[in-house]
Amino acid sequence: MNYPVWQLGFAGGGLLIAIMAVFHVYVSHFAVGGGLFLVLTEHKAIREKNPDIMAYVKKHTRFFMLLTMVFGSLTGVGIWFTISLLNPSATSVLIHNFVFAWGVEWTFFLAEIISIFLYYYSFGRISNRNHLIIGWIYFAFAWLSLFVVNGIVAFMLTPGSWVDNGNVWSGLFNPTFWPSFFFRTFLALMIAGLFGFMTSTTLKEPELRNRMVRFCALWLLAPFILFLASAWWYRSALPPQLEEMVFKKIPGLKFYLQAFVACSSLLVFGGLVMAIRTPAAVRRSLAAVMLLIGLVYIGTFEFIREGGRKPYIIQDYMYSNSLLKDSITPVKESGILQAARWARVREVDENNLGAAGKEVFDLACLSCHSVGGPLRDIKVSAGKLSSTGMGFFVNAMGTKLKYMPPFVGTEEEKKALIFYIYHSVMNQPQTEK
Ligand code: HEC
């Protein structure tokens, strides 16, 4: 409640961060798994004394470098812009708590950038041994950067004892740190296979193409069992209430959970089909489709993780609308409009119900509900309810409806909120004041 609210309507409910993050996460996992793919494929080329495979590694490195360094870095910075505008309070908590972790992270990034450039430009110019060492250095730093970021991302879902002791180590090595780290590592290896399809299917020589496509299929399929095991471990590491919330209580997550299961089967099936010798054009199209399924796959996972955190942005500490759990009582006493530092309307009266209601909505609801957009559209919800019904819903927030934070406004603010939703958003002027 200490920062102005970015008054998005259509793009409310986290749409912007969802788009930015899904692309970033896909490419950044590729940056990890793909790093191992490069060195291991180079080892293969050297072992088999096969210059064609070596040429393939070089070609794939160029693709890898451009995608991860340009697109990966831009979207990474994009995430910072987006989160700092969408939720300055939570971003501030992450920065202040983990300032050294971020410093370490960026040092690792720098090492990644330097080593991948050295790797690419030194192909054929230095000894195999030294070239491989550079490749391993790249992969080590890429994996380490996942190690650190994973801690911070997992922290938001399960901050564990940090909530009580405020200790940075408790926050970083939180209850889901390890399962999430392995989960993401195996996923990264599978993603390396998916991106490998993109370059291996375009190889001209049929024999080599067939071998390399199969090699990539192995990357996709081999880690799969371990990936599923780590997903199970991840789930069992969640505190029971949170587990129940994610898998049972939040209605909107069911779709994503089903999509995740469906994509798992599609990926395995697609991987097997890729391994069969089919015409080059078929394989190329299938490679593109598989890459897209991979994006949906990681996207649904991230939606489940972010969605499952509701009503919090940092579990047990800060709600998605940036209200601190500990500040519920004082804010309730003063009302939202008094407590929010940047509210333009401070008092509700008969003449400003719409304006006051919009302020209340932006402060209390917009972080999770869009107005007419794809994510948790308040128009759709309000359409199902009468304004009296909405009143009951708002009263039940935080108690019966545990996936939403308690409503901390006064009775007048609630009235203004409902007036705004039905009068201004739903355009139902007959709503009684
Ligand atoms: C922490 C995020 C969050 C905040 C903040 C939030 N909600 Fe919700 N709301 C949800 C979730 C999650 C659902 C469950 C529906 C879903 O999963 O898509 C929901 C459902 C609802 C529903 C029922 C929807 C239906 O179709 O059955 C209403 C009504 C609603 N919210 C109103 C509000 C109002 C009004 C506010 C602000 C005072 C608010 N919400 C703030 C997350 C939030």
Side-chain angles (χ1 to χ4, degrees), residues 250-253 307 310-312 319-321 360-361 364-369 376 378 380-382 384-385 390 393-394 397 401 403-405 407 417 421:
I250 302 183
L253 287 187
K310 298 282 172 298
Y312 294 102
Y319 291 106
S320 296
N321 54 13
V360 175
F361 180 84
C365 323
L366 187 67
S367 54
C368 303
H369 291 282
R376 289 192 207 90
I378 195 71
V380 174
S381 311
K384 290 193 241 166
L385 300 165
M390 180 64 84
F393 254 88
V394 173
M397 286 172 66
L401 304 174
Y403 44 75
M404 289 197 264
F407 180 68
L417 169 71
I421 294 176

Side-chain angles (χ1 to χ4, degrees), residues 141-280:
F141 279 111
W143 202 19
L144 283 170
S145 69
L146 172 66
F147 187 84
V148 180
V149 172
N150 168 65
I152 298 174
V153 173
F155 160 82
M156 292 199 284
L157 182 66
T158 51
S161 49
W162 173 88
V163 176
D164 300 318
N165 66 19
N167 183 315
V168 61
W169 296 108
S170 312
L172 203 62
F173 294 102
N174 59 75
T176 54
F177 178 91
W178 289 109
S180 161
F181 178 61
F182 283 101
F183 178 89
R184 289 179 184 281
T185 300
F186 294 128
L187 186 58
L189 300 180
M190 292 161 61
I191 290 174
L194 290 176
F195 278 94
F197 285 146
M198 293 308 286
T199 48
S200 58
T201 48
T202 61
L203 286 167
K204 294 223 168 45
E205 211 278 301
E207 230 11 81
L208 179 70
R209 182 174 65 233
N210 195 38
R211 278 191 66 194
M212 293 320 292
V213 171
R214 283 191 179 162
F215 182 67
C216 294
L218 195 66
W219 276 81
L220 172 64
L221 297 174
F224 196 74
I225 295 291
L226 290 170
F227 172 68
L228 286 188
S230 64
W232 180 82
W233 179 19
Y234 200 159
R235 179 174 174 169
S236 51
L238 295 174
Q241 279 156 307
L242 185 61
E243 201 255 7
E244 197 188 2
M245 203 66 146
V246 176
F247 291 93
K248 299 202 183 82
K249 287 258 174 78
I250 302 183
L253 287 187
K254 213 185 212 151
F255 169 77
Y256 294 101
L257 288 163
Q258 286 165 348
F260 188 77
V261 174
C263 288
S264 303
S265 331
L266 283 176
L267 283 178
V268 171
F269 180 70
L272 292 172
V273 174
M274 282 304 271
I276 305 170
R277 198 188 265 269
T278 48

Side-chain angles (χ1 to χ4, degrees), residues 44-157:
K44 181 180 165 73
I46 294 169
R47 203 175 47 240
E48 298 178 12
K49 300 198 176 54
N50 187 332
D52 294 336
I53 296 183
M54 193 59 113
Y56 167 72
V57 178
K58 186 169 180 195
K59 179 180 154 178
H60 189 69
T61 305
R62 188 180 161 79
F63 167 73
F64 175 86
M65 188 173 72
L66 286 175
L67 190 64
T68 59
M69 294 293 131
V70 180
F71 189 80
S73 313
L74 282 176
T75 47
V77 175
I79 288 189
W80 278 106
F81 272 101
T82 323
I83 62 170
S84 56
L85 288 171
L86 283 178
N87 203 324
S89 312
T91 308
S92 163
V93 173
L94 294 187
I95 293 175
H96 285 99
N97 251 292
F98 295 113
V99 67
F100 283 106
W102 291 117
V104 168
E105 177 69 17
W106 292 326
T107 312
F108 289 168
F109 281 158
L110 188 65
E112 275 185 64
I113 295 170
I114 296 172
S115 52
I116 196 66
F117 274 90
L118 283 178
Y119 184 75
Y120 179 68
Y121 288 103
S122 63
F123 261 102
R125 295 187 180 186
I126 55 176
S127 70
N128 284 342
R129 188 173 165 274
N130 287 346
H131 194 252
L132 282 169
I133 289 176
I134 297 174
W136 280 111
I137 289 176
Y138 170 80
F139 170 65
F141 279 111
W143 202 19
L144 283 170
S145 69
L146 172 66
F147 187 84
V148 180
V149 172
N150 168 65
I152 298 174
V153 173
F155 160 82
M156 292 199 284
L157 182 66

